[in-house]
């Protein structure tokens, strides 16, 4: 019995060593998937993390004209949402490849340094992003400025609405999803956000009430983005 156990262990070890390390790393990352993706009235909030994430990914894909799967894969391989927002924003305004910009960020240690060589004008960057870069703001704040500019550009909100929601604590994902539901139902995005925060409803329930199926989220988001004269977040 001991011989069989040792043989089994040795065989398992050999198989493990034959697997390339990148494959092991990817496996470790991709195991953190959403297990609950559909609204369940018995557990109304269980799918909310997935719904928030997939709506944000759909907005990202529509805003920058990229494949949503590409963004999801980059996140699964460890790239943060903040870095993706910033890299694609800078890439859209400079013509630089976002993947190369992500590498530059790693090498130079900050987005301010990575962006310096791009020589993007303040007008093209947008005043919010430009000021955040000059202040060497944390990546989270810089990404927030990018998202705010996109939400305003695509008319998900006007300036006072967006400022009020940010002040109330709304994050990037919540802003995108509340904007989508508000556009579909003509409800106040602030009221939607507050209702979810005080546990009076859930994002899944609100999507059900808006008659937006999970499979329709990408097309609904894209329609909102393209309604703004068909423009995307390209260089001005």
């Amino acid at each position: 019995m001991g011989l069989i156990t040792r043989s089994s262990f040795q065989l398992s070890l050999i198989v493990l060593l034959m697997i390339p390390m990148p494959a092991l790393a990817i496996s470790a990352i991709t195991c953190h998937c959403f297990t609950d993706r559909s609204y369940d009235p018995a557990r109304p909030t269980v799918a909310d993390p997935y719904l928030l994430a997939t709506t944000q990914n759909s907005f990202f894909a529509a805003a920058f004209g990229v494949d949503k799967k590409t963004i999801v894969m980059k996140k699964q391989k460890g790239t943060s949402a903040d870095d993706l927002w910033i890299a694609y924003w800078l890439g859209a305004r400079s013509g630089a490849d976002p993947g190369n910009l992500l590498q530059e960020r790693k090498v130079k240690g900050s987005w301010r340094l990575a962006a310096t060589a791009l020589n993007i004008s303040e007008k093209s960057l947008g005043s919010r992003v430009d000021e955040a870069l000059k202040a060497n703001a944390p990546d989270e704040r810089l990404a927030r400025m990018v998202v705010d500019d996109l939400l305003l550009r695509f008319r998900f909100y006007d300036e006072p609405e967006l400022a009020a929601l940010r002040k109330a604590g709304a994050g990037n994902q919540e802003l995108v999803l509340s904007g989508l539901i508000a556009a579909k139902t003509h409800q106040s995005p602030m009221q939607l956000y507050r209702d979810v925060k005080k546990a009076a409803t859930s994002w899944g329930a609100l999507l059900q009430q808006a008659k937006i199926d999970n499979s329709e989220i990408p097309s609904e988001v894209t329609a909102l983005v393209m309604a703004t004269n068909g423009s995307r977040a390209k260089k001005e």
Side-chain angles (χ1 to χ4, degrees), residues 64-83:
F64 291 109
V66 297
D67 185 0
K68 180 181 170 184
K69 290 180 181 178
T70 299
I71 302 308
V72 173
M73 285 299 297
K74 286 181 182 294
K75 288 182 177 180
Q76 289 178 336
K77 291 180 180 180
T79 305
S80 73
D82 289 343
D83 280 339

Side-chain angles (χ1 to χ4, degrees), residues 3-232:
L3 179 60
I4 294 174
T5 301
R6 284 195 297 273
S7 298
S8 299
F9 172 76
Q10 290 169 348
L11 179 60
S12 298
L13 183 60
I14 291 170
V15 171
L16 183 63
L17 291 173
M18 289 174 65
I19 301 174
M21 287 305 294
L24 291 174
I26 292 172
S27 176
I29 293 168
T30 56
C31 69
H32 299 290
C33 296
F34 294 100
T35 55
D36 296 292
R37 301 187 175 209
S38 299
Y39 173 67
D40 180 358
R43 299 182 300 158
T45 63
V46 72
D48 280 1
Y50 167 73
L51 296 171
L52 286 162
T54 195
T55 306
Q56 177 179 247
N57 290 338
S58 296
F59 178 65
F60 191 112
F64 291 109
V66 297
D67 185 0
K68 180 181 170 184
K69 290 180 181 178
T70 299
I71 302 308
V72 173
M73 285 299 297
K74 286 181 182 294
K75 288 182 177 180
Q76 289 178 336
K77 291 180 180 180
T79 305
S80 73
D82 289 343
D83 280 339
L84 286 170
W85 284 118
I86 300 163
Y88 275 79
W89 180 265
L90 295 176
R93 276 148 175 71
S94 66
D97 178 77
N100 292 339
L101 292 176
L102 287 166
Q103 289 301 315
E104 280 292 295
R105 165 66 178 84
K106 289 181 180 179
V107 171
K108 295 188 175 178
S110 75
W111 278 113
R112 181 174 64 84
L113 293 176
T116 299
L118 299 175
N119 294 317
I120 307 173
S121 69
E122 179 181 342
K123 179 181 178 182
S124 185
L125 269 177
S127 59
R128 290 177 177 79
V129 178
D130 183 66
E131 289 172 9
L133 277 172
K134 287 177 179 176
N136 202 23
D139 292 352
E140 181 182 1
R141 181 186 162 202
L142 185 53
R144 191 164 66 242
M145 298 301 100
V146 169
V147 174
D148 284 359
D149 265 16
L150 289 170
L151 290 169
L152 292 170
R153 169 187 288 265
F154 298 124
R155 299 174 189 169
F156 275 55
Y157 301 101
D158 58 30
E159 293 259 12
E161 273 183 325
L162 182 57
L165 279 159
R166 283 294 193 191
K167 187 175 181 180
N172 295 338
Q173 292 184 338
E174 293 162 323
L175 285 169
V176 175
L177 187 47
S178 60
L180 169 64
I181 297 170
K184 190 74 173 178
T185 63
H186 305 291
Q187 293 177 272
S188 160
M190 177 63 83
Q191 191 60 54
L192 294 171
Y193 174 74
R194 284 176 173 167
D195 286 348
V196 172
K197 284 303 166 182
K198 66 183 182 183
T201 187
S202 67
W203 293 115
L206 290 173
L207 282 168
Q208 289 287 306
Q209 293 165 18
K211 301 187 185 309
I212 302 175
D213 187 74
N214 287 11
S215 63
E216 297 170 337
I217 290 174
S219 60
E220 292 285 352
V221 171
T222 299
L224 280 179
V225 169
M226 297 304 291
T228 314
N229 299 321
S231 62
R232 285 191 167 121

